[in-house]
């Protein structure tokens, strides 16, 4: 699954969450509109209620891209 697909599912399901990086918070729709297409194509995994992490070239979870925070 790509980061784009994860963000699109959050928007479609009207998820009541914000995505956090450090001290910044983003709506999924904002990220869909502003992130570079290359970043949106990155393989990723969402652990419900916790985080969205990149998947590396070996298929393992990599860096946490966004922490999920309930509104």
């Amino acid at each position: 699954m790509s980061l784009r697909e994860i963000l699109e599912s959050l928007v479609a399901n009207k998820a009541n969450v914000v995505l956090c990086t450090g001290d910044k918070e983003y709506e999924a729709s904002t990220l869909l509109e502003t992130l570079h297409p290359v970043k949106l194509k990155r393989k990723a995994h969402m652990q419900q209620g916790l985080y969205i992490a990149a998947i590396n070239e070996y298929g393992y979870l990599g860096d946490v891209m966004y922490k999920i925070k309930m509104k």
Side-chain angles (χ1 to χ4, degrees), residues 2-25:
S2 70
L3 178 58
R4 175 186 303 278
E5 292 169 321
I6 292 171
L7 295 174
E8 287 174 342
S9 72
L10 289 172
V11 171
N13 293 326
K14 298 179 182 172
N16 197 21
V17 298
V18 291
L19 304 172
C20 307
T21 60
D23 60 344
K24 296 182 181 178
E25 295 182 350

Side-chain angles (χ1 to χ4, degrees), residues 1-55:
M1 182 172 270
S2 70
L3 178 58
R4 175 186 303 278
E5 292 169 321
I6 292 171
L7 295 174
E8 287 174 342
S9 72
L10 289 172
V11 171
N13 293 326
K14 298 179 182 172
N16 197 21
V17 298
V18 291
L19 304 172
C20 307
T21 60
D23 60 344
K24 296 182 181 178
E25 295 182 350
Y26 303 95
E27 297 285 334
S29 59
T30 302
L31 292 174
L32 275 172
E33 295 169 2
T34 59
L35 287 178
H36 192 279
V38 172
K39 187 159 187 172
L40 289 171
K41 288 182 183 177
R42 247 181 122 178
K43 289 185 179 181
H45 169 75
M46 180 173 69
Q47 182 64 44
Q48 282 297 103
L50 297 175
Y51 58 80
I52 298 173
I55 297 177

